[in-house]
Amino acid sequence: SRLVVIGNAFKKSRKEFFPRLKVNVGPALRYQHLLKKQNFESNKQILIVLNGISLKDNIKLLNWIAAATNNFKKIKIYVKEHLILKIKNTTKKKFGTKFEFTNKKFSTIIKKSSIVVSNGPTSATVESLVYNSRIIVPVFDPADSLIFKNLKIKKKNVHFVFNLTQLKNKINHLVKQKLNKHNKIDLTLAKYFFSKINDETMKYFI
């Protein structure tokens, strides 16, 4: 058996339960844009990334953030839904103008977001690290933190919270931090997560 992953970062975790499995690195087709130098300006806004697994957890996450940011006046909060798990408009209306649900490309909205909140396994959390965003992970399930277990990343950029009080405190702490508006792609991290399209990575498909 052979498994092809999109970057060196994911080889170890894929062999965790089957050490003899052959794991090779293929091209990260969707993420080639992250392998180029990019400079951009970040703002103090929060991006909520919803997962494609549990609608119940997604709504719980929105309720938590609504409560945690109740006193925020100038901070914009955007919500990026998962393509396969949309929230009903009637549910969205319950949050009033608290959130702005957006259909913009993730690569567009993440550049302006200094704080990202997401739970559950989603590639958006990995992509956010490459954009140098601070990530808050509310742990609703023990598996929510496992995505970062075997990754060689700056642990200071990922913050786990286990209840509403911790979430509120962490958001307040990060919002008060001095923001470096002039930001750039972390190319070293990008190359660790995502591989280029070349003869070496494409050979498994030819």
Side-chain angles (χ1 to χ4, degrees):
S1 298
R2 183 190 302 275
L3 180 69
V4 179
V5 295
I6 61 174
N8 285 307
F10 308 104
K11 291 180 70 174
K12 182 178 179 180
S13 61
R14 295 304 179 268
K15 298 179 73 169
E16 184 175 1
F17 300 107
F18 187 15
R20 290 180 294 171
L21 178 68
K22 292 181 180 179
V23 181
N24 299 104
V25 178
L29 301 176
R30 285 181 50 204
Y31 302 100
Q32 294 301 296
H33 62 285
L34 294 174
L35 298 170
K36 301 174 183 177
K37 288 184 178 180
Q38 296 181 46
N39 296 309
F40 51 91
E41 289 193 1
S42 297
N43 298 318
K44 278 193 175 181
Q45 66 183 37
I46 299 170
L47 174 60
I48 306 169
V49 181
L50 303 181
N51 68 59
I53 297 176
S54 172
L55 184 60
K56 179 181 177 182
D57 281 354
N58 285 341
I59 294 174
K60 179 179 179 180
L61 179 61
L62 292 176
N63 283 323
W64 272 31
I65 296 176
T69 60
N70 189 48
N71 295 323
F72 286 17
K73 302 299 180 183
K74 297 181 180 180
I75 302 294
K76 291 183 178 180
I77 304 176
Y78 293 91
V79 179
K80 181 68 176 173
E81 294 179 90
H82 197 281
L83 289 173
I84 64 171
L85 198 62
K86 298 287 187 179
I87 291 178
K88 293 180 180 179
N89 287 330
T90 51
T91 302
K92 291 179 182 178
K93 289 179 181 178
K94 292 179 181 178
F95 295 103
T97 58
K98 187 71 182 178
F99 305 133
E100 181 177 328
F101 290 80
T102 178
N103 291 317
K104 293 180 180 178
K105 283 185 176 181
F106 184 78
S107 57
T108 299
I109 194 70
I110 185 61
K111 290 178 181 178
K112 296 183 178 296
S113 305
S114 59
I115 301 171
V116 174
V117 185
S118 183
N119 74 301
T122 168
S123 60
T125 53
V126 172
E127 198 171 343
S128 299
L129 287 171
V130 174
Y131 279 104
N132 278 308
S133 297
R134 298 291 189 268
I135 301 175
I136 302 176
V137 182
V139 179
F140 296 157
D141 183 283
D144 290 340
S145 61
L146 294 182
I147 187 174
F148 302 99
K149 180 181 177 182
N150 294 315
L151 298 180
K152 297 177 182 178
I153 59 174
K154 298 175 183 176
K155 296 296 193 289
K156 67 178 183 179
N157 284 2
V158 181
H159 309 272
F160 298 104
V161 295
F162 296 87
N163 55 56
L164 177 56
T165 300
Q166 289 181 0
L167 175 64
K168 184 176 182 178
N169 291 340
K170 184 55 63 177
I171 290 178
N172 280 321
H173 173 71
L174 293 179
V175 166
K176 290 176 181 178
Q177 284 186 342
K178 185 176 180 180
L179 174 68
N180 180 14
K181 288 189 176 182
H182 302 289
N183 215 336
K184 62 182 179 180
I185 289 280
D186 187 333
L187 275 178
T188 300
L189 201 57
K191 291 174 182 177
Y192 170 59
F193 286 136
F194 311 116
S195 61
K196 288 184 177 181
I197 297 175
N198 53 39
D199 292 342
E200 179 64 23
T201 57
M202 286 297 293
K203 68 182 181 182
Y204 303 107
F205 305 100
I206 297 175

